[in-house]
Amino acid sequence: MTNIPQTGQLAPDFTTPDQNDKPVSLADFSEWIVLYFYPKDDTPGCTTEAKDFTDLSPQFTALGAKIIGVSPDSGKAHCKFIDKHQLSITLLSDPEHQLIEAYGAWRLKKFMGKEYMGVARSTFLISPDKTIAYAWPNVKTKGHALAVLTKLQELAAV
């Protein structure tokens, strides 16, 4: 049911609007991409993750990487989220879940005994040749941005 891209596979292509409603495509990038999926702007876990990626963004940039977050939220909601927390990362809006589904992040979830479909927190490190260099299909926010940076440092040094 869920098709999560694996290490070595070509990254699923996309064109999706960013927080300013400007189309962003995988083809626009020639550098490393940290593509992370999260459920909702301005919720505790999602805020922690976005702030951690923002705090580490200079190190990611130094390694030639661009950080891109994706959620079903609107561009307007993304702008509020960015302004409220002084985020320096790009956020893509995917209300129809096309990009989210392409990366296998739209999954069955459970909360308080109820099952529902939603965004499973997950991250993909995409190499400059557009292949999946590493995938984290089930992310816990604490320490995740640092784990991604560490993996990027390891892979970019090769």
Side-chain angles (χ1 to χ4, degrees), residues 23-131:
V24 174
S25 299
L26 181 61
D28 296 341
F29 301 97
S30 58
E31 64 263 72
W32 289 90
I33 302 170
V34 174
L35 186 66
Y36 82 94
F37 296 88
Y38 66 98
K40 186 158 180 51
D41 288 344
D42 216 20
T43 56
C46 299
T47 300
T48 296
E49 190 173 24
K51 288 173 78 172
D52 287 352
F53 275 121
T54 292
D55 291 346
L56 293 173
S57 65
Q59 289 97 310
F60 280 100
T61 301
L63 291 166
K66 178 84 173 153
I67 302 165
I68 302 171
V70 183
S71 84
D73 293 300
S74 68
K76 185 176 180 182
H78 283 339
C79 285
K80 285 182 184 174
F81 186 41
I82 288 168
D83 290 346
K84 181 175 179 180
H85 298 286
Q86 292 86 48
L87 303 177
S88 64
I89 57 179
T90 298
L91 298 179
L92 302 183
S93 181
D94 188 23
E96 304 298 318
H97 317 135
Q98 290 174 325
L99 175 55
I100 295 166
E101 288 181 33
Y103 280 80
W106 188 250
R107 296 189 227 143
L108 189 63
K109 296 173 74 173
K110 283 185 180 181
F111 182 69
M112 295 179 68
K114 293 189 187 239
E115 290 188 338
Y116 63 96
M117 293 300 289
V119 178
R121 196 180 304 281
S122 45
T123 301
F124 297 87
L125 185 55
I126 303 171
S127 68
D129 70 0
K130 309 292 188 276
T131 59

